Amino acid sequence: MLNDITLGQYYPGNSPVHRMDPRCKLLLTVAYIVGVFLIGNLPGYLLALAFLWLVVRVSGIRFSYLLRGLKPLRFILVFTFILNVAFTQGQTVLFAVGFFRLTREALENAIYFSLRLVFLVMGTSVLTLTTSPVQLTDALEHLMHPLARFGFPAHELAMMMTIALRFIPTLLEEADKIQKAQMARGADFESGNLMARARAMIPLLVPLFVSSFRRANDLAMAMEARCYRGGEHRTRLRELRYTRLDFYALLCMIAFFVLIIAEGMLLG
Amino acid sequence: MENRQKENRIITDGLSYRYPEAERDAVSDVALRVRAGEFVCILGHNGSGKSTLAKLFNALYVPTEGTVWVCGMDTKDDELVFDIRQNAGMVFQNPDNQIVATVVEEDVAFGLENNGVPPQEIRVRIDEALAAVGMSERAKKAPHMLSGGQKQRVAIAGVLAMRPSVIILDESTAMLDPSGRAEVMNTVRRLNREEGISIVLITHFMTEAAQADMIYVMDGGKIAMTGTPREVFSQIGRVRALGLDVPPMTALAETLGKAGLPVRPDVLTVEEMVEEVCRLQSKG
Amino acid sequence: MPIAVEGVSYVYMAGSPYETKALDNVNLTIEDGEFVALIGHTGSGKSTLVQHLNGLLSPTSGRVLVDGQDLAQKGTDKRAVRFRVGLVFQYPENQLFEETVEKDIAFGPKNLGLAQEEISRRVKDAMRRVALSYDELSQRSVFELSGGQMRRVAIAGVLAMEPKVLVLDEPCAGLDPHGREEILGLIRRLHAESGTTIVMVSHSMDDVANLAERVIVMDHGTVAMDGTPREVFSRGDRLREMGLDVPQAVELAEALRARGIPVPQGAYLPGEVARAILAFAGKGEEPC
């Protein structure tokens, strides 16, 4: 189940999409999502799909891999769909049973909303699949940097993200070890009602918290010993640079916008 | 003073440190020195004040009384803190809790980034540092995919990239398996011999201590014994009374001595023991 | 209560690109009252094997029998097995969580469903075995203790389940010489006084030489050697090939032999080598 989630995973590669500047990728992803929300008819979504397919093609990721990432979302999708069908007011009744009336407007709304969600997830997945968490953090730090002037903790946030990314595997491993150690003492994490199960988590969570605090303490000490003093005057090993690739990508995105706007005006 | 500073990387004088709200000093009236190119080992049972002492060397703690000079800089001087930390690099015990970045080479760059070193220079220095600890091939790897010994070598590289005068290893081998310990010790010894970097090694392993030029044994925050490994370990009774051990060969020399065989009491290694037995033989 | 490991293989993350075979057709039997040391390079499969002994991991193929009972079989109560085969993990102090020492040690017995009286008897007994004073420490917070004390509390937590077999994964890791001595001493007493079967994973060959009656050497997920310390340590070259050390006494014996000094084959304890040296010096044979 956990393996199905493609959102947030990195799929290493060396495609032009991988090589793009992460800032550019991040901004273009945002643009794409805005674009998708502007679309109001099915041909428009076909365009969005075509565009996405093209990007995925260039990135070397299998499209089926991306689709697999939607699987864990199926409940949310169904839920969104039903909610929209049920709560959209409409005139053109297609179908009626008792209280329930299925209108054309509701159906359209439901379909569009679900499609937007699908494109939102797939679009961000393309970003995270082709951009390592490190690059993503860098991009965020750089993009947020101008805000630092107004007291926004851009560097601190990026540092926190980096440290979180660094320690997630360590803590997962540790959680597994502690869980096994408690099971060796007869702890039962699997049976009982909800309350009993929640209570059974205490022997796992307390040690995990204790060790996280110790790790945080150690890490703070180690960072200090290595001359850490916040974001000021700090240089970076990797500097981000926009290249021609990013320019081409920008052109593609502009073309996409032109197409969906033109299509929207033509077909209403 | 100028001359003393050149040949001494670390000097402490009447050094005491008490944790806030503690009843007694964790480090008490310590005077020691670490010379240029010297390999110093600090021994002592848990709670003897070794780790506190290490943190005083790096200006992580500031003395309650007395002074620590690192390359002639007083650690009480706020303006020198970052120079001191650059000169006296620290490697800690837990390999997992001192690596900051998600990629090996970026972690090595961390200290240099903090000190505002230009990116091109960082590149050069991390490549050098990773080569020096034999980790060049893993530069792009994620730290959690490395073994304990490799993680500690990355931590050493991070310190090395800062071009330190002295590296302080605070029980950095304690959590490693024998091959990891050997990796770290070989790296440290080579840096000491070839680059002339002074080493302060804090350890519980007597065989590691036996490789030092000088040993300080801590007890109750004070220095209880000082001397070369031979001088210290040949006093088996005192060493054991301080909650420590001696290298197995030193213990064996004691056994033989008690049985009436005139073996030198300061044998440290297997090779020396073999020589000693043969020497006795050719004499007898 | 013998433990039989029959043709056990274990594959981590099967089907993923990270697939690794941690155990490969392992066969061994641990008899009642044995003191077994399990040694091997990191990644040789020791820790994986150890987790099979009480059913925390189930073999990909093969089976593990505790007292003749197949752990993987449906209907086997794995929890019941865990009370009979106690497992002390590496750095066990990391699992402590209760407010007091007493409560933490009582966690296992409580899970056993024992009566309050029995639980407190066991807590007291376990604390005595690990040489912690009940009166002084039982009501203290576990997080106030020293590292060595915390480790002993964690071991007491497993001992309080009164297992027939005690499996310890590197019980001395990270301790100072004094702490190591304490832990080894209590393991030795437990074996000698209560006849508890001990399986100890260790990286310290000197500790293994001093304590174990039987040494199992793991290499690449297989059992590479299985025998008395004398048998195993007499094959120093093979051990070094596998990236392992030998006790320093063995190293010395080998070096002395190479110089023509007669040290009996298989000598692995410092005392034995010392006797050989004394005998040699006393006899005064030709110089080397």
Side-chain angles (χ1 to χ4, degrees):
Chain A
M1 168 75 183
L2 232 52
N3 294 334
D4 282 341
I5 300 173
T6 48
L7 186 66
Q9 271 188 11
Y10 177 52
Y11 192 99
N14 199 28
S15 73
V17 183
H18 283 84
R19 291 200 310 269
M20 274 172 65
D21 187 293
R23 287 170 297 182
C24 183
K25 264 191 274 189
L26 188 67
L27 292 176
L28 292 188
T29 306
V30 173
Y32 178 73
I33 290 166
V34 170
V36 164
F37 273 77
L38 289 178
I39 295 173
N41 57 28
L42 280 177
Y45 285 106
L46 280 179
L47 265 175
L49 184 68
F51 184 80
L52 191 72
W53 184 80
L54 196 79
V55 175
V56 171
R57 193 60 205 269
V58 174
S59 74
I61 297 167
R62 283 194 318 277
F63 202 79
S64 60
Y65 189 76
L66 200 64
L67 286 177
R68 190 144 48 106
L70 290 173
K71 223 169 90 188
L73 267 135
R74 57 190 184 273
F75 296 112
I76 302 177
L77 279 175
V78 170
F79 189 65
T80 316
F81 191 87
I82 293 174
L83 223 59
N84 273 291
V85 167
F87 290 103
T88 311
Q89 303 293 328
Q91 311 295 313
T92 336
V93 178
L94 293 174
F95 180 76
V97 183
F99 281 114
F100 180 76
R101 293 190 316 156
L102 177 66
T103 63
R104 187 192 168 82
E105 289 79 4
L107 190 64
E108 276 179 359
N109 222 353
I111 291 172
Y112 294 157
F113 253 96
S114 308
L115 279 175
R116 277 171 198 161
L117 204 61
V118 167
F119 280 105
L120 177 91
V121 170
M122 291 209 291
T124 3
S125 293
V126 172
L127 173 69
T128 57
L129 283 170
T130 59
T131 319
S132 74
V134 179
Q135 288 179 308
L136 215 51
T137 314
D138 274 2
L140 277 173
E141 182 172 6
H142 276 89
L143 291 172
M144 292 186 304
H145 188 71
L147 297 176
R149 222 174 304 158
F150 311 108
F152 185 78
H155 163 75
E156 285 76 6
L157 273 177
M159 189 50 114
M160 274 164 58
M161 273 179 65
T162 303
I163 291 172
L165 288 170
R166 155 73 188 77
F167 277 90
I168 284 169
T170 310
L171 288 177
L172 283 178
E173 212 172 282
E174 175 139 43
D176 178 61
K177 226 192 266 170
I178 295 170
Q179 184 174 15
K180 279 181 176 164
Q182 306 300 27
M183 280 165 74
R185 292 208 279 165
D188 184 356
F189 292 102
E190 278 143 17
S191 51
N193 59 20
L194 206 61
M195 269 310 280
R197 280 196 206 197
R199 213 165 323 125
M201 294 302 281
I202 293 174
L204 171 61
L205 292 178
V206 172
L208 206 53
F209 270 114
V210 170
S211 101
S212 303
F213 277 116
R214 196 183 47 234
R215 285 182 196 281
N217 212 4
D218 284 1
L219 187 69
M221 189 74 93
M223 286 170 70
E224 223 183 301
R226 293 172 72 185
C227 302
Y228 183 67
R229 56 190 110 161
E232 264 174 75
H233 311 301
R234 214 165 174 267
T235 47
R236 297 307 306 266
L237 163 63
R238 266 176 307 97
E239 288 171 299
L240 297 177
R241 248 186 228 111
Y242 292 112
T243 62
R244 205 175 292 177
L245 263 178
D246 301 299
F247 180 64
Y248 293 150
L250 181 66
L251 287 185
C252 292
M253 187 56 75
I254 291 172
F256 172 64
F257 264 80
V258 169
L259 279 174
I260 56 170
I261 290 166
E263 179 270 345
M265 291 196 323
L266 278 177
L267 300 174
Chain B
M1 198 60 202
E2 190 61 27
N3 250 340
R4 260 183 82 194
Q5 285 159 15
K6 266 194 190 131
E7 64 186 61
N8 291 305
R9 301 295 194 217
I10 297 175
I11 306 178
T12 74
D13 185 25
L15 171 62
S16 297
Y17 181 79
R18 182 176 298 203
Y19 286 94
E21 288 163 49
E23 284 166 18
R24 58 179 200 90
D25 289 347
V27 165
S28 164
D29 196 22
V30 166
L32 58 73
R33 68 168 68 190
V34 180
R35 293 183 177 82
E38 193 176 27
F39 188 149
V40 168
C41 178
I42 300 177
L43 293 175
H45 58 83
N46 280 343
S48 61
K50 308 178 302 279
S51 282
T52 310
L53 189 60
K55 285 166 189 138
L56 284 157
F57 292 163
N58 182 271
L60 285 171
Y61 297 160
V62 175
T64 323
E65 268 175 73
T67 317
V68 179
W69 287 278
V70 174
C71 299
M73 295 176 281
D74 186 338
T75 61
K76 277 201 282 284
D77 189 338
D78 281 341
E79 288 182 6
L80 296 174
V81 165
F82 296 111
D83 288 323
I84 289 166
R85 289 185 182 156
Q86 177 257 312
N87 265 293
M90 273 194 85
V91 181
F92 295 86
Q93 179 180 24
N94 192 326
D96 280 321
N97 298 358
Q98 54 185 320
I99 294 182
V100 187
T102 43
V103 179
V104 164
E105 63 174 15
E106 288 194 27
D107 188 73
V108 176
F110 181 74
L112 301 171
E113 293 178 334
N114 290 334
N115 280 352
V117 175
Q120 305 81 352
E121 170 77 7
I122 295 183
R123 186 75 255 171
V124 173
R125 289 223 221 159
I126 58 177
D127 288 346
E128 275 175 17
L130 282 170
V133 300
M135 290 289 291
S136 303
E137 280 166 25
R138 320 234 166 212
K140 309 274 184 201
K141 287 269 183 291
H144 72 271
M145 305 298 271
L146 304 179
S147 74
Q150 291 172 332
K151 283 179 202 164
Q152 289 300 56
R153 274 149 66 202
V154 171
I156 293 174
V159 165
L160 200 59
M162 309 273 276
R163 308 236 163 109
S165 316
V166 47
I167 299 179
I168 301 148
L169 298 110
D170 186 3
E171 291 194 40
S172 309
T173 56
M175 298 181 79
L176 305 180
D177 65 357
S179 55
R181 284 211 304 277
E183 282 170 38
V184 170
M185 284 305 291
N186 290 339
T187 307
V188 166
R189 274 212 316 265
R190 198 160 35 73
L191 294 176
N192 177 243
R193 265 200 313 266
E194 290 170 16
E195 319 263 329
I197 298 171
S198 303
I199 304 291
V200 177
L201 175 75
I202 296 176
T203 185
H204 286 314
F205 293 99
M206 302 306 143
T207 44
E208 291 172 5
Q211 301 171 13
D213 298 321
M214 194 67 157
I215 292 179
Y216 292 91
V217 182
M218 301 272 299
D219 185 45
K222 289 185 168 27
I223 291 177
M225 291 175 85
T226 312
T228 63
R230 275 182 218 294
E231 288 163 358
V232 169
F233 288 130
S234 57
Q235 304 177 52
I236 294 187
R238 270 193 80 192
V239 171
R240 289 204 175 128
L242 292 169
L244 299 176
D245 216 340
V246 297
M249 287 303 119
T250 318
L252 187 67
E254 189 202 29
T255 313
L256 294 173
K258 276 187 182 154
L261 203 67
V263 184
R264 264 175 27 204
D266 59 358
V267 173
L268 296 175
T269 64
V270 170
E271 293 74 42
E272 287 173 18
M273 182 56 92
V274 173
E275 288 315 314
E276 194 57 14
V277 173
C278 288
R279 183 185 62 81
L280 284 174
Q281 200 41 47
S282 52
K283 247 196 215 163
Chain C
M1 199 182 67
I3 301 180
V5 176
E6 297 179 350
V8 166
S9 297
Y10 185 80
V11 180
Y12 273 108
M13 301 206 261
S16 82
Y18 302 103
E19 178 174 312
T20 36
K21 202 163 196 177
L23 292 179
D24 187 3
N25 191 26
V26 172
N27 289 287
L28 51 91
T29 306
I30 293 160
E31 300 292 349
D32 282 355
E34 277 193 301
F35 195 130
V36 182
L38 198 56
I39 64 177
H41 198 259
T42 302
S44 62
K46 297 176 309 236
S47 294
T48 310
L49 175 60
V50 152
Q51 292 177 32
H52 277 80
L53 300 181
N54 69 350
L56 281 176
L57 291 178
S58 294
T60 311
S61 64
R63 53 184 198 160
V64 180
L65 304 171
V66 173
D67 225 358
Q69 200 177 10
D70 185 348
L71 293 191
Q73 211 169 53
K74 282 217 173 98
T76 301
D77 185 356
K78 280 194 191 163
R79 275 181 70 214
V81 171
R82 282 175 201 146
F83 296 122
R84 289 182 286 161
V85 182
L87 175 52
V88 178
F89 273 83
Q90 228 182 83
Y91 298 101
E93 57 274 20
N94 291 347
Q95 78 198 24
L96 301 178
F97 69 99
E98 276 286 12
E99 293 152 45
T100 65
V101 170
E102 171 150 37
K103 280 188 184 169
D104 208 289
I105 298 175
F107 181 64
K110 238 171 152 175
N111 288 329
L112 261 171
L114 297 173
Q116 191 51 49
E117 270 167 52
E118 175 65 7
I119 292 178
S120 74
R121 181 192 69 77
R122 287 191 175 201
V123 171
K124 282 180 189 150
D125 188 57
M127 285 188 76
R128 183 185 57 77
R129 285 174 190 278
V130 299
L132 289 174
S133 155
Y134 178 85
D135 295 334
E136 219 177 285
L137 297 173
S138 64
Q139 299 315 312
R140 292 266 291 276
S141 159
V142 287
F143 301 110
E144 286 172 11
L145 306 180
S146 75
Q149 285 175 325
M150 281 171 83
R151 173 121 359 142
R152 280 183 284 156
V153 169
I155 294 176
V158 174
L159 289 182
M161 304 192 305
E162 302 195 340
K164 294 278 175 294
V165 180
L166 185 64
V167 184
L168 304 110
D169 193 352
E170 283 190 67
C172 298
L175 294 179
D176 66 359
H178 184 64
R180 273 206 292 273
E181 222 24 76
E182 279 178 341
I183 299 288
L184 291 175
L186 81 89
I187 295 170
R188 194 202 305 259
R189 278 199 305 278
L190 206 66
H191 178 65
E193 290 168 13
S194 321
T196 308
T197 310
I198 306 280
V199 179
M200 182 173 88
V201 176
S202 177
H203 280 308
S204 163
M205 296 302 149
D206 290 296
D207 293 350
V208 170
N210 282 327
L211 289 166
E213 295 159 355
R214 175 178 166 198
V215 181
I216 296 172
V217 187
M218 299 285 297
D219 188 38
H220 291 104
T222 62
V223 175
M225 290 188 213
D226 183 351
T228 62
R230 197 173 300 284
E231 287 161 3
V232 168
F233 290 132
S234 66
R235 298 169 67 190
D237 289 337
R238 180 78 188 92
L239 286 171
R240 279 183 277 255
E241 266 173 40
M242 292 187 279
L244 296 172
D245 294 327
V246 294
Q248 284 212 349
V250 173
E251 229 178 284
L252 178 64
E254 287 173 354
L256 288 174
R257 250 179 250 129
R259 301 285 281 264
I261 298 170
V263 182
Q265 280 296 331
Y268 70 100
L269 292 169
E272 293 176 301
V273 183
R275 270 195 299 282
I277 294 173
L278 289 170
F280 175 64
K283 263 186 267 159
E285 284 169 20
E286 75 271 16
C288 47

